[in-house]
């Protein structure tokens, strides 16, 4: 009986606001191959996405974490699906959403462009200058938010200037339910750091969180996502 | 007296073929910034360079290891000088060689090209396609081998086809004393692997080493380098 009481207590809405929900999270960078040796990538460590996956699992959700190449350990009870490129991340995201998804949280720093052609052999140096032809990658966030069965969709905006304006523009343009903006130009915060400071925007409000550890920020984000999802 | 004998024994040429020599090694990838967030890099783990640094130190050399961004621990008694870009790696190499260098071993996978302009702010997506303007990076190996006071210079060739021909061409063109060729297209060997198989070329001979651990290959490479340096 005591065990039952404790379990009930742990399952109460206040402490497990995502109980029974299915959450899909993208995290880390993508890598876009130029040839078998070279690639384009970015400085995303994946820490924010992994922290949100941990927070969402603790909040009671069943979590699928679609992860680019990072050097992080999978959180307990989270299903990690590793990918390399933006195209692979989109395919994995559509599959996971089709399997059933209440909240989609896109923390990944997806490469906007990929090399037009992936060379089969290593490219030889021939000239002093060259132009690498790039093509736009699919927009994972807009694709998921634009589905008929779109889940509550949360985007991230890593900007170096005019953060609030770019972030809210992105939220409205891509039809997101929420966007989390951080300024990567602040030293010691953001990419590769364990700490962060963010401002969360949703259509009817906003809230600033931090500076604090990424895990503390993730815990608060999960509460805000659950609240706004319940209202949606 | 006994301690003296042991020290003499450890210092004998057969077991410490680089005793008293100064060795400069480059290792890892370089990262070339596109903007504050994005970069071009490659799959080099730095393991081969770190293994050679360890082997050279054990062989009695004073070792400076100029390292791009890797997730490896510095070998004992090796001075690591971290760099990011090819230009930084060249500057650090010229400085280390000017300080005194008997052998220069270039294992780093240096980016051949860098973006022509590093954007101060994150580049905004504007069009479906774009061409990223690239310019050639300095040739670190040829620069060091072309110095009046050039040390014994060892290059590496990571090729995906026609390995022997490209490697020996590179040795003669860049006036190297030795080149180590491996075929990165062989599954399970080379980049990011703990094992490797290489063929070493010098003007008067060649030797194949492995498949074996990178450390075992590094130990044999150091013996070959010391032998050919003594003859040079």
């Amino acid at each position: 009986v005591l065990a039952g009481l404790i379990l009930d207590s742990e399952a109460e809405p206040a402490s497990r606001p995502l109980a029974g929900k299915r959450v899909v999270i993208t995290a880390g960078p993508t890598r876009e191959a130029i040839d078998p040796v070279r690639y384009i990538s970015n400085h995303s460590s994946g820490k924010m996405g992994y922290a949100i996956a941990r927070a969402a699992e603790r909040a009671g959700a069943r979590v699928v974490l679609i992860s680019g190449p990072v050097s992080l350990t999978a959180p307990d009870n989270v299903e990690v699906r590793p990918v390399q490129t933006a195209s692979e991340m989109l395919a994995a995201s559509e599959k996971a959403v089709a399997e059933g998804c209440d909240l989609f949280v896109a923390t990944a720093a997806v490469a906007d462009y990929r090399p037009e052609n992936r060379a089969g052999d290593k490219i030889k140096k021939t000239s002093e200058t060259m132009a690498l032809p790039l093509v736009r990658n699919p927009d994972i966030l807009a694709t998921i938010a634009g589905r008929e069965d779109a889940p509550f969709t949360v985007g991230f905006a890593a900007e170096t200037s005019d953060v609030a304006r770019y972030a809210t523009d992105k939220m409205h343009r891509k039809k997101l339910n929420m966007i989390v903006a951080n300024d990567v130009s602040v030293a010691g915060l953001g990419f590769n750091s364990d700490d962060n400071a963010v401002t969360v925007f949703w259509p009817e409000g906003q809230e600033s969180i931090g500076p604090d550890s990424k895990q503390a920020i993730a815990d608060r984000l999960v509460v805000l996502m659950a609240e706004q999802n319940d209202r949606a």
Side-chain angles (χ1 to χ4, degrees), chain A:
Chain A
V1 174
L2 187 61
L5 283 172
I6 290 170
L7 284 172
D8 281 348
S9 167
E10 280 183 346
E12 73 179 332
S15 64
R16 292 175 71 82
L18 290 179
K21 301 289 184 189
R22 291 181 290 191
V23 177
V24 176
I25 300 168
T26 67
T30 65
R31 274 189 192 166
E32 310 294 332
I34 300 172
D35 63 24
V37 177
R38 302 178 183 86
Y39 60 82
I40 297 176
S41 192
N42 63 66
H43 293 289
S44 171
S45 66
K47 285 175 185 171
M48 199 64 227
Y50 276 61
I52 293 172
R54 193 173 293 111
E57 191 276 332
R58 285 182 195 157
R62 197 164 73 199
V63 180
V64 171
L65 179 58
I66 299 166
S67 178
V70 299
S71 36
L72 296 173
T73 306
D76 288 344
N77 304 315
V78 166
E79 184 191 347
V80 178
R81 299 183 184 175
V83 297
Q84 293 279 325
T85 68
S87 298
E88 290 171 11
M89 187 171 274
L90 173 62
S93 297
E94 295 218 84
K95 181 167 176 289
V97 168
E99 289 165 6
C101 172
D102 299 293
L103 290 95
F104 181 76
V105 187
T107 76
V110 179
D112 298 325
Y113 292 88
R114 67 177 180 276
E116 186 169 23
N117 303 298
R118 181 188 187 282
D121 273 358
K122 189 179 166 191
I123 299 168
K124 291 282 155 195
K125 287 171 286 193
T126 48
S127 57
E128 280 306 306
T129 62
M130 59 175 280
L132 183 65
L134 304 174
V135 294
R136 275 281 286 279
N137 265 326
D139 186 328
I140 298 173
L141 197 49
T143 303
I144 299 299
R147 288 172 65 105
E148 271 196 36
D149 62 346
F152 185 93
T153 302
V154 183
F156 274 67
E159 302 296 343
T160 47
S161 59
D162 255 342
V163 173
R165 185 169 65 83
Y166 280 125
T168 50
D169 279 1
K170 184 174 174 180
M171 175 171 68
H172 293 299
R173 198 176 62 247
K174 299 195 179 184
K175 304 182 194 311
L176 311 181
N177 299 97
M178 184 177 271
I179 194 155
V180 183
N182 63 325
D183 187 342
V184 297
S185 70
V186 178
L189 296 179
F191 278 138
N192 272 312
S193 166
D194 287 325
D195 285 355
N196 207 355
V198 304
T199 303
V200 188
F201 300 89
W202 57 95
E204 303 80 20
Q206 67 178 75
E207 179 175 317
S208 292
I209 316 175
D212 207 333
S213 72
K214 285 185 174 173
Q215 191 60 61
I217 288 172
D219 292 342
R220 178 63 191 154
L221 278 176
V222 159
V223 171
L224 288 178
M225 287 173 201
E227 281 176 7
Q228 295 306 316
N229 179 44
D230 288 344
R231 276 176 211 167

